[in-house]
Amino acid sequence: MQPFASKATTPSDDRRWKMVDATMRKHGNEPSALIESLHTVQESFGYLDEVALRYVAQSLRVPYSKVYGVSTFYHFFTLKPQGEHTCVVCTGTACYIKGAQRLLDTVGEAAGIKAGETTSDGKVSLLTARCVGSCGLAPAVVFDGQVAGKVTPDSVSQWLGKWAKPVESRAVVAQ
Amino acid sequence: MKKQVQIKTLKIEGRDVSATGEQTILQVALENGIQIPRLCYVEGLSQFGACRLCLVEIKGSNKLLPACVTQVEEGMEVTVNSERLANYRKLILELLFSERNHICSVCVVNGHCELQSLAVRLGMDHISMPYLHPKMTVDASHPRFTLDHNRCVLCTRCVRVCGEIEGAHTWDVKGRGMDASIIADLNEPWGNSESCTSCGKCVHVCPTGALFEKGKSVAEMSKRKQFLPYLTLMRESWQ
Amino acid sequence: MNLEELKQIAEAEQEAVAPLENTVRVCVAASCLSSHSDQVKAALQSEVKERGLEHKCRVKGVGCMGLCAAGPLVEVAGERSTMYQAVTPEDAQAIVGSLGKEPVKALVLPTAQPFFASQKKIVLENCGIIDPDRIEDYIAAGGYEPLINALATMTPLEVIDEVKKSGLRGRGGAGYPTGLKWSTVQKAASEDGKYVICNADEGDPGAFMDRSVLESDPHRVLEGMAIAAYAVGANKGYIYVRAEYPLAVKRLRDAIRQAERTGLLGNDICDTRFSLRIEIRLGAGAFVCGEETALIASIEGNRGQPRPRPPYPAQSGLWGRPTLINNVETYANIAPIIRNGGAWFAGIGTQKSKGTKVFALAGRVNNTGLIEVPMGITLRDIVFKLGGGIPEGRKFKAVQTGGPSGGCVPEQYLDMPVDYESLAEVGSIMGSGGMIVMDETSCMVDVAKFFMDFCRTESCGKCIPCRVGTGHIHNLLSRISDGEADGADLELLERLCDMVRHTSLCGLGQSAPNPVSSTLRYFRDEYRAHIDQKRCASGACNIQKPAGVEA
């Protein structure tokens, strides 16, 4: 198979590829559109898989190795599927001083995972961010996209408990 | 009408030398037989400016400048050798030797290695920090060549020669910091690469035994990177 | 769009609010939002509606009011202005009920305190007052008048002159004279055009100044970029924003769209021949992309690896063309400078550091949040007056300024003026404005180790000194912190710091040793205690004392 011989074909009928195409088109299908396009892929699919990387590389005429190099340089991008729920603990200076490590340890004890890992049942991913800009409310944690401030080990445990419940009973717990 | 070429005069190591237009300090030094240690620079490829071995002192500034990318200025006074520079160069080399697993005695380029030659020239025969002993792999999937990550110094000559001269851009770098490493295509075994043309350019510009030809035993591989300025010259005359 | 039409929009806005007796401002910037201030706003709005008070009272979302630790913040502006703290949706009844009467005592946040009273707001003057989602509000506050005046009545060189007169220095950290930078880009020849870039990567952990400005007053930044583009001759602009700031990205996107629709961005702005299109580019989690050349590499779609300088971006930047890069806060100062004149700005601050600076106060201090103060204010005033001192009666130990590129300033310098030169003299830097206050429970070895870990993980890996050096320095600091180091380790540590500082390719590596050398300079005894006595006085380190060793 020759790479880049002709126009790249969309990997599947999945409508999410249209979002990716739109981003690439918005930036003129130029090689410089790479990072913006990868952002759209990750937003739409949750992570960057090999199929997506090949498609973007062919569409933008960027060498495969360069696409891989860019995907792995930036920590925002992930090449592995994330868990159903994500818990991002901020490890910036203000949060560190206010005990971010204890929060990481709490998740470690309760769910058995370290930063960058996902629980074996695929339910929870633990990530760290170098600073989410909520330093006035340190320590901060982002639970499923929601920023929470002044987080304590107890509130972390509560979130984990909520996520561990099967969906039906979770509906009863939710407010 | 021919474009006016500007001539500049400057001093390197106390010697008066002249330079044309946009030449770099390194180019002028080498032209005049003055050696400056370097690792990521290769004539014929774009300058990377990353190894920091070619840093020189400029009179009137306390900033050290990389000779490979710094253009000469009229009246510049360049110091290539000083105690301070010697100490820094040695320490930088020590860091390299500590970073991965460089074992000359069993290496295919023993005796023909740019890293080894640098160590000998700069008088570095032991290191002051602990060896990191990372676990690195060897990719022997290609029919003719092998990539041994233990010996790689991340100079990116392979990336540049494949991207700029051969045009295939098979190689690039993944990750960052000390987790960075050379990859082919989408981090696939070299032998499975769709873009590689097996031209061997990367093997011959590689300064260490990281990239080598199969079938060569210890100390048997010597590199020939003279093809590079030759190719550059031939391509210029086409245009 | 011309000055006439702009004034008409402003007047229309002012007329609409004239009959109101009260405006209730609810902070909807990131920190308060994370404490559900959107629900507070909704509750207040429905309470006003239920009581039929819409014609007398407007509830609006505004940007950051500064005292993030006390959020969600609500300000009732009217005949009597009151600020409320820690507001919940349940308080809506009481607050609306108190309009025109006695305020709700339990929720009041006194604004007579130094945190509010001692600030001087230029960059933040609109934050917490205007609605960041409405360009009309920005125009009503005088926005975009400086731009139109500059385009209609000043030449590019006159604009640059005004900026030079102001003495404004880059607020991203390095403090390079802004007028000089603009002048260099303006003079650079280019047949292919020039660019203006706004560095909104704000990577310093502990810094959230830029974030607040972008979320609370995005048009201020756009206006500054437009004036800059006019001055240097650029027609294309990029704002490089961290992906970790989705709200800022959204507000900027909306603001750009509104400005284009109003004719303040785009082709032939305000019937002149000046055109400017601004695009947003997302970062993706790399601190090094706050460095100018790495940022440029990122916009070009590459790995964010810095390039050797010279050549500087002013000569050869984005795609090899002359490029002006300035920080968010720098651009936010431009409109007021053009409005009031460079001399006005130069009248604030110290001799070499003009104007104000926004600081993000965090750590062991009572009032964490954002403050804007004139250059030259003392550290003591910042920490103890505005900051309200150290909680739980603990003792002040040091202030970390400048993030991972900066240093710790100890107690003996509390009375020094905060400006570029003084901070450099004591071994730190102004940086982007992050200020982390530390008390006796912080271990300086641990702090140095934290910052070196950060630099090590963020190192791009291109140059050897930074890539490998930061790793070894971190290992040494870990050994010291764990009580496993000896004197030779300390010596190697200092040698490596010196080498990394002087031989690294970019600012990340060059300044990575700063926290180490700064803590060694003022807290050497702590290092020695860890090494000689295997003791960590603050208790932050995990030192296992071997049996029989005296504490």
Side-chain angles (χ1 to χ4, degrees):
Chain A
M1 180 179 90
Q2 269 185 321
F4 311 16
S6 53
K7 187 178 182 304
T9 41
T10 319
S12 76
D13 287 333
D14 194 323
R15 297 175 131 257
R16 290 176 284 184
W17 289 116
K18 290 202 195 299
M19 311 273 302
V20 182
D21 285 340
T23 301
M24 296 196 289
R25 209 174 22 242
K26 185 169 120 179
H27 293 279
N29 288 310
E30 294 280 312
S32 57
L34 181 56
I35 294 176
E36 297 291 307
S37 309
L38 292 176
H39 267 297
T40 307
V41 173
Q42 180 148 310
E43 238 175 72
S44 312
F45 293 93
Y47 71 110
L48 309 175
D49 71 359
E50 195 184 302
V51 168
L53 292 179
R54 279 190 198 277
Y55 179 57
V56 171
Q58 288 163 14
S59 306
L60 300 178
R61 284 172 166 45
V62 177
Y64 289 141
S65 60
K66 185 157 169 212
V67 171
Y68 197 87
V70 167
S71 312
T72 53
F73 180 87
Y74 295 98
H75 284 186
F76 192 83
F77 296 136
T78 172
L79 271 57
K80 292 183 294 191
Q82 294 300 287
E84 213 181 297
H85 302 281
T86 48
C87 174
V88 186
V89 176
C90 176
T91 50
T93 324
C95 294
Y96 179 79
I97 294 207
K98 288 265 176 100
Q101 187 59 48
R102 261 194 6 252
L103 302 177
L104 286 168
D105 294 340
T106 306
V107 179
E109 278 165 27
I113 48 175
K114 295 201 303 265
E117 293 176 358
T118 305
T119 52
S120 46
D121 62 2
K123 278 225 150 51
V124 182
S125 288
L126 177 62
L127 304 155
T128 53
R130 54 192 165 95
C131 180
V132 300
S134 290
C135 319
L137 296 177
V141 178
V142 188
F143 295 103
D144 279 344
Q146 259 186 30
V147 180
K150 301 191 185 158
V151 178
T152 60
D154 275 336
S155 46
V156 171
S157 304
Q158 271 178 24
W159 275 94
L160 290 177
K162 200 160 80 177
W163 289 341
K165 290 190 165 56
V167 186
E168 312 84 53
S169 58
R170 223 188 293 152
V172 173
V173 170
Q175 267 122 32
Chain B
M1 188 162 92
K2 242 171 122 185
K3 198 168 94 162
Q4 274 275 337
V5 176
Q6 211 196 0
I7 306 282
K8 299 175 187 163
T9 57
L10 61 149
K11 276 186 167 33
I12 303 184
E13 286 292 279
R15 278 170 51 186
D16 289 306
V17 294
S18 64
T20 50
E22 295 173 353
Q23 278 189 303
T24 61
I25 298 177
L26 180 61
Q27 283 171 328
V28 178
L30 291 178
E31 254 173 31
N32 287 275
I34 301 173
Q35 285 301 317
I36 305 183
R38 60 216 181 266
L39 196 50
C40 66
Y41 172 82
V42 165
E43 192 197 339
L45 297 180
S46 64
Q47 298 96 323
F48 201 43
C51 69
R52 316 308 281 173
L53 287 169
C54 71
L55 290 175
V56 292
E57 289 169 4
I58 308 286
K59 183 161 178 212
S61 167
N62 46 16
K63 249 178 89 168
L64 300 175
L65 292 179
C68 64
V69 295
T70 308
Q71 282 181 12
V72 301
E73 301 287 336
E74 175 65 36
M76 233 182 192
E77 288 184 44
V78 183
T79 304
V80 169
N81 295 309
S82 74
E83 199 185 321
R84 185 182 181 210
L85 289 174
N87 285 334
Y88 284 155
R89 286 170 187 155
K90 217 156 129 194
L91 204 46
I92 290 172
L93 268 191
E94 289 182 41
L95 286 179
L96 266 187
F97 275 89
S98 77
E99 187 184 13
R100 294 195 179 190
N101 306 307
H102 299 279
I103 306 171
C104 301
S105 50
V106 298
C107 181
V108 68
V109 297
N110 189 6
H112 313 112
C113 170
E114 289 185 53
L115 182 65
Q116 194 183 42
S117 308
L118 275 170
V120 169
R121 267 224 312 278
L122 298 180
M124 188 221 102
D125 55 13
H126 70 282
I127 66 176
S128 22
M129 69 285 298
Y131 285 101
L132 296 176
H133 289 314
K135 204 157 177 187
M136 310 244 70
T137 55
V138 175
D139 180 352
S141 59
H142 193 281
R144 289 171 50 202
F145 312 119
T146 304
L147 165 57
D148 184 347
H149 289 281
N150 289 286
R151 302 169 183 163
C152 174
V153 293
L154 290 175
C155 67
T156 70
R157 287 187 191 181
C158 55
V159 177
R160 283 175 280 146
V161 80
C162 187
E164 295 164 21
I165 307 295
E166 178 65 7
H169 204 112
T170 300
W171 298 118
D172 211 303
V173 184
K174 84 159 160 76
R176 63 184 195 218
M178 271 203 277
D179 291 332
S181 80
I182 301 290
I183 44 125
D185 289 353
L186 292 181
N187 194 17
E188 299 162 83
W190 193 358
N192 294 353
S193 164
E194 291 165 7
S195 59
C196 175
T197 61
S198 304
C199 68
K201 294 187 179 63
C202 57
V203 175
H204 285 279
V205 298
C206 173
T208 68
L211 286 166
F212 60 94
E213 283 171 358
K214 286 184 165 171
K216 297 267 190 337
S217 181
V218 176
E220 284 182 0
M221 173 97 215
S222 66
K223 310 271 176 104
R224 300 177 322 272
K225 56 182 200 288
Q226 298 85 315
F227 74 88
L228 201 42
Y230 172 72
L231 269 188
T232 315
L233 186 64
M234 294 307 278
R235 286 179 183 189
E236 268 170 27
S237 59
W238 274 352
Q239 281 150 15
Chain C
M1 174 58 54
N2 56 33
L3 204 53
E4 263 303 306
E5 290 164 350
L6 198 73
K7 289 212 153 106
Q8 277 168 11
I9 297 180
E11 273 165 27
E13 195 60 27
Q14 278 147 11
E15 270 171 37
V17 304
L20 295 176
E21 286 173 15
N22 287 294
T23 305
V24 180
R25 302 176 180 145
V26 184
C27 174
V28 290
S31 276
C32 288
L33 257 186
S34 69
S35 304
H36 310 295
S37 65
D38 52 340
Q39 290 172 13
V40 171
K41 177 164 156 241
L44 284 163
Q45 277 168 335
S46 74
E47 188 65 29
V48 165
K49 199 163 171 194
E50 249 182 63
R51 297 188 187 213
L53 293 171
E54 287 120 304
H55 59 289
K56 286 208 283 184
C57 169
R58 178 198 282 188
V59 176
K60 74 191 227 190
V62 296
C64 182
M65 297 191 218
L67 192 45
C68 309
L73 292 177
V74 171
E75 186 179 21
V76 174
E79 230 183 82
R80 281 189 294 192
S81 287
T82 315
M83 185 152 329
Y84 293 118
Q85 59 179 314
V87 179
T88 64
E90 291 71 46
D91 297 322
Q93 247 192 0
I95 293 180
V96 179
S98 76
L99 293 176
K101 308 190 193 104
E102 278 300 309
V104 183
K105 286 219 169 57
L107 296 169
V108 169
L109 175 65
T111 51
Q113 52 172 310
F115 182 90
F116 294 106
S118 299
Q119 290 195 45
K120 183 171 179 61
K121 297 203 182 183
I122 298 178
V123 170
L124 299 179
E125 63 190 346
N126 291 333
C127 298
I129 300 183
I130 67 169
D131 182 347
D133 286 327
R134 297 183 68 240
I135 190 174
E136 294 86 354
D137 230 7
Y138 180 70
I139 292 175
Y144 285 115
E145 249 187 66
L147 172 63
I148 296 189
N149 278 327
L151 293 179
T153 67
M154 296 169 83
T155 65
L157 287 179
E158 283 168 347
V159 172
I160 294 180
D161 217 41
E162 220 46 54
V163 176
K164 276 188 177 160
K165 265 194 238 154
S166 73
L168 177 65
R169 291 167 71 166
R171 294 290 192 251
Y176 189 83
T178 308
L180 185 54
K181 208 184 218 185
W182 287 27
S183 185
T184 315
V185 181
Q186 192 274 333
K187 287 200 194 112
S190 174
E191 291 162 3
D192 297 313
K194 306 182 190 177
Y195 298 104
V196 290
I197 296 181
C198 175
N199 186 344
D201 194 51
E202 193 164 59
D204 280 4
F208 52 104
M209 305 74 56
D210 294 348
R211 171 184 212 165
S212 300
V213 174
L214 293 171
E215 291 175 355
S216 312
D217 195 3
H219 285 284
R220 185 65 99 87
V221 178
L222 295 180
E223 188 177 1
M225 281 180 79
I227 294 172
Y230 173 64
V232 304
N235 298 108
K236 187 70 194 280
Y238 290 95
I239 306 182
Y240 187 85
V241 198
R242 299 180 71 201
E244 292 90 334
Y245 286 175
L247 182 56
V249 172
K250 175 182 180 303
R251 299 243 159 103
L252 276 171
R253 287 215 164 107
D254 291 343
I256 292 175
R257 214 173 299 131
Q258 288 169 11
E260 283 174 347
R261 246 183 256 143
T262 319
L264 291 158
L265 276 181
N267 291 330
D268 302 326
I269 298 175
C270 303
D271 301 321
T272 66
R273 309 235 328 252
F274 171 62
S275 303
L276 176 65
R277 300 216 88 88
I278 298 184
E279 246 183 68
I280 303 216
R281 284 303 174 102
L282 292 175
F287 171 73
V288 68
C289 286
E291 198 274 343
E292 292 184 345
T293 59
L295 195 159
I296 286 175
S298 192
I299 294 184
E300 291 175 353
N302 298 318
R303 290 160 60 88
Q305 296 191 300
R307 298 163 185 169
R309 303 189 300 175
Y312 290 92
Q315 298 292 126
S316 168
L318 188 55
W319 290 301
R321 297 164 195 164
T323 305
L324 171 69
I325 305 188
N326 271 138
N327 170 268
V328 168
E329 196 181 329
T330 311
Y331 282 123
N333 273 299
I334 297 299
I337 287 176
I338 298 301
R339 185 196 310 138
N340 303 322
W344 157 80
F345 193 80
I348 305 165
T350 67
Q351 224 224 354
K352 292 214 182 125
S353 304
K354 300 293 183 193
T356 59
K357 181 78 190 78
V358 181
F359 290 106
L361 259 188
R364 305 278 181 185
V365 71
N366 277 313
N367 298 333
T368 56
L370 274 190
I371 57 172
E372 185 175 358
V373 289
M375 293 277 200
I377 189 175
T378 65
L379 265 182
R380 190 184 294 279
D381 277 351
I382 292 182
V383 176
F384 291 97
K385 258 178 72 180
L386 289 104
I390 321 287
E392 293 169 50
R394 293 214 176 100
K395 198 169 169 303
F396 172 87
K397 189 164 186 182
V399 165
Q400 215 282 340
T401 70
S405 318
C408 293
V409 186
E411 200 189 344
Q412 63 256 45
Y413 295 116
L414 271 175
D415 292 304
M416 66 168 246
V418 173
D419 64 24
Y420 289 101
E421 272 67 34
S422 308
L423 282 167
E425 256 167 61
V426 300
S428 185
I429 60 169
M430 175 80 68
S432 57
M435 256 195 198
I436 314 281
V437 183
M438 296 173 199
D439 62 21
E440 67 232 30
T441 61
S442 299
C443 168
M444 301 325 265
V445 178
D446 185 54
V447 166
K449 187 180 80 165
F450 169 82
F451 281 120
M452 189 52 64
D453 188 34
F454 180 84
C455 290
R456 177 182 68 109
T457 1
E458 294 297 330
S459 172
C460 77
K462 180 168 173 176
C463 79
I464 302 167
C466 174
R467 177 179 86 228
V468 195
T470 53
H472 278 290
I473 295 176
H474 180 256
N475 287 347
L476 287 166
L477 289 169
S478 295
R479 279 168 59 80
I480 296 176
S481 169
D482 292 341
E484 291 168 7
D486 60 24
D489 287 326
L490 190 57
E491 207 193 298
L492 178 61
L493 178 68
E494 293 189 279
R495 265 180 72 214
L496 285 174
C497 282
D498 174 67
M499 186 262 308
V500 170
R501 170 175 293 120
H502 290 113
T503 61
S504 291
L505 192 153
C506 83
L508 192 157
Q510 287 158 9
S511 56
N514 284 355
V516 182
S517 33
S518 151
T519 48
L520 269 173
R521 181 168 160 180
Y522 300 116
F523 300 97
R524 204 178 185 90
D525 52 320
E526 279 190 45
Y527 280 84
R528 288 254 64 121
H530 281 73
I531 293 174
D532 301 328
Q533 298 143 36
K534 312 300 178 203
R535 182 173 65 94
C536 172
S538 68
C541 295
N542 239 339
I543 285 200
Q544 309 288 357
K545 266 204 305 280
V549 171
E550 275 293 316

